Amino acid sequence: MTALIWDLDGTLLDSYGVIVSSLRQTLAELGMDMDGEEIRRRATEGSVSDVVRFAEAKTGRPFREIKERYSAISGGRYLEIAAIPHAAGALEQTAALGAVHFVYTHRGSTTMPVLEHLGLDCFFKEVVSSLNGFPRKPAPDALLYLMEKYRLERDRVFYVGDRTLDVDCAKNAGVRSVLYSPSGAGTADYVVRDLLEIRAVVAE
């Protein structure tokens, strides 16, 4: 059985616009004026938590307080998030080939509401988010949990993401990585410019 485990933000969800603007508003409330591109770079090369830690160091405000304010701002905007082009098609086509779908994301309480709003929730056998409490990527614990629970064959498991962090997570779990990169830049076992290209990966 082939299993595709998907990241969400930047992979299936076109959410970076909402993430960046929500972070920028959060920082502005703390008196920090950071360029949107700089916020995006820090968030995509690392994570939202890395931006929050940066703000904590600059302002002395507690990490939890900053993160909760960001979550309140971004959580109220989840309906603005769209699907990445061809996300549903890629899920449908690979499911037709027998692939089983899972999610592992750092996104928290808005994970299921976003998927339900976009009509994507029906594709996934299980969704693992930050609410499950696993160590954050690139730690492989969440992937290993899914592999053990569903008795997935390691050589037929692919972790699909859009960042080096996701590639490293796949490597640490001993599974193959698929990097979604519209520019074609990046290094992984497979690099796809369009999500529909994943069909060819599964069909191998």
Side-chain angles (χ1 to χ4, degrees):
M1 177 176 64
T2 297
L4 292 173
I5 306 174
W6 299 80
D7 171 55
L8 286 185
D9 294 303
T11 304
L12 289 175
L13 304 182
D14 186 5
S15 53
Y16 284 139
V18 169
I19 290 171
V20 170
S21 61
S22 298
L23 280 169
R24 192 169 190 183
Q25 180 180 336
T26 304
L27 298 181
E29 291 178 3
L30 296 171
M32 294 178 62
D33 182 20
M34 187 182 293
D35 179 73
E37 284 304 310
E38 175 65 10
I39 293 173
R40 184 184 180 95
R41 183 188 66 77
R42 288 179 178 272
T44 54
E45 290 182 0
S47 66
V48 166
S49 290
D50 289 327
V51 179
V52 174
R53 274 189 285 271
F54 178 75
E56 178 187 32
K58 286 288 186 181
T59 65
R61 302 285 282 275
F63 175 93
R64 182 174 178 178
E65 176 187 316
I66 301 170
K67 186 68 178 290
E68 286 179 351
R69 180 55 183 150
Y70 162 76
S71 296
I73 294 169
S74 62
R77 299 180 58 193
Y78 74 88
L79 294 181
E80 297 175 31
I81 295 172
I84 290 287
H86 305 141
L91 291 164
E92 289 172 354
Q93 290 183 7
T94 49
L97 291 172
V100 179
H101 298 294
F102 302 89
V103 165
Y104 171 43
T105 177
H106 281 169
R107 179 172 283 273
S109 60
T110 59
T111 300
M112 289 309 299
V114 171
L115 291 174
E116 290 166 2
H117 174 66
L118 296 173
L120 299 178
D121 57 301
C122 59
F123 289 104
F124 302 107
K125 193 170 186 68
E126 183 167 343
V127 174
V128 177
S129 72
S130 65
L131 301 181
N132 291 81
F134 289 106
R136 296 174 68 84
K137 307 173 197 177
D141 303 55
L143 301 188
L144 297 176
Y145 154 77
L146 289 171
M147 291 163 63
E148 180 177 357
K149 180 175 179 178
Y150 295 97
R151 299 182 180 180
L152 305 177
E153 300 173 35
R154 192 178 299 269
D155 62 350
R156 295 303 300 165
V157 175
F158 302 84
Y159 187 46
V160 188
D162 68 306
R163 297 180 294 168
T164 300
L165 191 70
D166 301 314
V167 175
D168 291 342
C169 184
K171 182 178 181 180
N172 291 339
V175 303
R176 284 181 282 183
S177 57
V178 181
L179 181 69
Y180 170 60
S181 172
S183 70
T187 303
D189 294 307
Y190 302 88
V191 178
V192 298
R193 292 173 178 265
D194 187 302
L195 290 181
L196 292 179
E197 295 173 19
I198 294 176
R199 182 182 187 281
V201 174
V202 171
E204 280 190 355

